[in-house]
Amino acid sequence: MSAQTKPAQGLPADDDAHTWTGKARRWMLGKLPPDKLLPEDQPSYVMSWAYVFGMGAIASLLWIIVSGAVLGLNGPQWYHVSSLGSFVNSTHLWSVELFFIFMVVHLWLKFWMAAWRGGRVLTWVTGMLSFVVSIVAAFTGYLLQTNFDSQWIAFEAKDALNSVGVGAWFNVANVGQIFVWHITLLPLAVGAVVVLHVLLVRVHGVVPPLEAAEGDAQLLDASPAPGHPPGPSHPLESANSQDSAEPRDAAR
Amino acid sequence: MSGWLVAGAGTLGVGTYFGWDGFTIQSGNLVVIVVMIILFVLALVVPFPGGKRRK
């Protein structure tokens, strides 16, 4: 057993991290320091409706999870018969509708903003992945309405799923299996991808509008890493800041 | 039990469909698509409220 020195109580030294936990902490703090994880301000161009719909989708997702937990705990005999159950069931459906509406508008806005610029490709990919996984989660929700609609959907879908060879593992005629997919596996997948997406937005920052690409001071890195001079943080900004007299389209 | 079955059957509806030259769409789906397009346009043209400028 060896003694370790600490600079202060509860604050381990990051410079001499020699365990995987210490190295992981150093890597995470380097990628996402607390002021980037929970920022207090944003560039002025974020004050636009174009930057609202992602948060709208997350708010909808939170209500989907809350109402879904209530529905799952009370069961179909509650949400089909009682008035309160029908109401909660309806809010679950409409929060899903809002989730997809906000997510699709968010996707359109970010597509026309070319939001994968500046090293944000993984942010774009996780956004698309969350859209695809959400579609599967919503599909299993339609299968769990436990009415004749869901029976019709299941028996139409089983042939399509069997034709691509996944029917044995994703059996839409098996309500118990679909229930597990809908309330555990797929929500965990959607939640994990959305959390990763938000963390990547924090790491790289929100994408600037295309119009802001001409040497905008807010695009420059205000807090350079130790040992590095202040300057642009990615090639796009570098191209713009070196020659601001260049036509705007030249940097895109 | 019978109330449950009746309630489940009561959720079924014929639905309203619109069609133009072989293209058919259910009214609910059409409404959602139109709402998304309207929100997209409004997000681009409507100014954001609040005069508190940041940074």
Side-chain angles (χ1 to χ4, degrees):
Chain A
M1 182 181 287
S2 61
Q4 293 184 19
T5 58
K6 291 181 178 180
Q9 190 174 7
L11 294 173
D14 280 336
D15 294 338
D16 60 348
H18 58 281
T19 62
W20 73 267
T21 50
K23 290 172 183 173
R25 183 185 65 245
R26 185 172 57 188
W27 180 81
M28 285 189 283
L29 285 173
K31 284 285 183 186
L32 196 57
D35 57 335
K36 283 180 76 175
L37 177 63
L38 299 169
E40 292 189 75
D41 53 11
Q42 292 285 343
S44 60
Y45 50 73
V46 176
M47 292 186 70
S48 161
W49 287 110
Y51 288 91
V52 168
F53 291 93
M55 186 50 68
I58 290 175
S60 306
L61 179 61
L62 291 177
W63 185 251
I64 290 169
I65 293 168
V66 171
S67 59
V70 174
L71 291 174
L73 290 172
N74 287 285
Q77 284 163 308
W78 175 72
Y79 62 71
H80 272 321
V81 175
S82 78
S83 56
L84 179 61
S86 296
F87 176 74
V88 176
N89 195 9
S90 296
T91 65
H92 190 65
L93 168 69
W94 281 103
S95 53
V96 171
E97 299 281 353
L98 288 175
F99 177 62
F100 274 95
I101 287 173
F102 289 149
M103 191 159 50
V104 168
V105 176
H106 178 63
L107 187 155
W108 287 347
L109 288 162
K110 296 306 161 185
F111 175 79
W112 292 107
M113 205 182 279
W116 48 83
R117 288 174 294 145
R120 296 179 177 86
V121 170
L122 201 54
T123 313
W124 174 263
V125 169
T126 51
M128 291 303 300
L129 195 58
S130 67
F131 183 51
V132 172
V133 177
S134 298
I135 290 172
V136 182
F139 171 64
T140 57
Y142 284 110
L143 293 172
L144 288 175
Q145 294 176 98
T146 51
N147 58 17
F148 292 133
D149 273 343
S150 58
Q151 191 180 45
W152 171 262
I153 295 167
F155 280 79
E156 290 292 307
K158 71 174 174 53
D159 295 333
L161 292 164
N162 286 337
S163 71
V164 294
V166 300
W169 299 277
F170 191 76
N171 183 2
V172 291
N174 184 342
V175 176
Q177 189 196 82
I178 296 302
F179 200 62
V180 171
W181 275 106
H182 187 71
I183 70 166
T184 58
L185 302 176
L186 289 166
L188 283 173
V190 172
V193 176
V194 168
V195 166
L196 183 59
H197 182 72
V198 172
L199 289 177
L200 284 166
V201 172
R202 293 300 196 206
V203 168
H204 297 290
V206 292
V207 68
L210 290 166
E211 294 78 15
E214 195 173 352
D216 192 316
Q218 293 180 101
L219 300 181
L220 304 179
D221 191 357
S223 56
H228 292 83
S233 58
H234 59 73
L236 173 65
E237 293 159 5
S238 176
N240 286 316
S241 62
Q242 283 172 2
D243 187 5
S244 59
E246 228 176 86
R248 184 180 298 169
D249 289 341
R252 292 179 194 168
Chain B
M1 182 68 182
S2 60
W4 180 21
L5 286 174
V6 170
T11 60
L12 290 176
V14 177
T16 305
Y17 288 83
F18 301 104
W20 298 272
D21 295 331
F23 174 77
T24 305
I25 188 167
Q26 201 261 341
S27 59
N29 292 331
L30 181 64
V31 167
V32 167
I33 292 169
V34 169
V35 166
M36 289 191 298
I37 293 171
I38 291 172
L39 283 176
F40 177 78
V41 174
L42 289 178
L44 296 178
V45 299
V46 174
F48 196 76
K52 186 181 176 183
R53 308 295 296 178
R54 294 177 180 174
K55 208 165 182 179

